Amino acid sequence: MTFNKVYYGLWVVLFALFAFWQFNDPDPEIWVSIYGVAIIFCLLGFRGIFPKIPLTVVVAACLIGAAYYWQGHVGDWVSQEVEQHNLSMKNDFMEESRESFGLMIITLVMIPGLIKAWKK
């Protein structure tokens, strides 16, 4: 089994779990769709297909979205998570900080495929 198959296969499963956990979110249609797109590109990567322009758009959109949600809340979020010792949602900026990290994870997972796409 090649690295691509293991790497992208693992991320298909993880993104499917992430999408499942979004169903109790205040805006599940947005986040299930975002993780669905990540699953599609991971399935393409699993097959060795790296579409240059669509992959570039996804990575750019995730970076812009992560920067938008970041907005200085992440430091506050981390300290509150440590203090409360659970994952319950206490306020909106905690939700936005978590969403920021989700978008960054998608970006980081897609970068190897993006590099392959641009090398072709």
Side-chain angles (χ1 to χ4, degrees):
M1 190 171 276
T2 67
F3 173 77
N4 277 353
K5 291 191 185 271
V6 173
Y7 179 77
Y8 290 109
L10 174 67
W11 282 108
V12 165
V13 172
L14 291 173
F15 286 142
L17 285 171
F18 294 173
F20 175 76
W21 290 326
Q22 294 302 312
F23 280 109
N24 69 349
D25 204 60
D27 48 3
E29 60 282 343
I30 294 170
W31 294 99
V32 171
S33 299
I34 289 170
Y35 287 118
V37 168
I39 290 168
I40 290 168
F41 279 97
C42 285
L43 286 170
L44 289 171
F46 182 85
R47 298 192 61 206
I49 301 168
F50 303 100
K52 185 188 305 185
I53 301 302
L55 201 49
T56 303
V57 170
V58 167
V59 169
C62 286
L63 278 173
I64 291 167
Y68 173 78
Y69 281 118
W70 184 276
Q71 296 180 11
H73 297 297
V74 175
D76 296 333
W77 167 67
V78 171
S79 64
Q80 280 198 351
E81 293 284 357
V82 170
E83 289 172 13
Q84 73 180 16
H85 301 291
N86 67 40
L87 294 176
S88 65
M89 202 62 59
K90 300 291 186 216
N91 51 44
D92 289 339
F93 79 81
M94 292 176 84
E95 175 71 12
E96 291 175 357
S97 297
R98 290 177 184 175
E99 290 169 346
S100 174
F101 276 104
L103 291 170
M104 284 308 299
I105 290 169
I106 294 170
T107 300
L108 293 173
V109 168
M110 298 298 154
I111 285 176
L114 185 62
I115 292 169
K116 287 181 183 188
W118 283 94
K119 281 187 177 180
K120 286 185 177 182

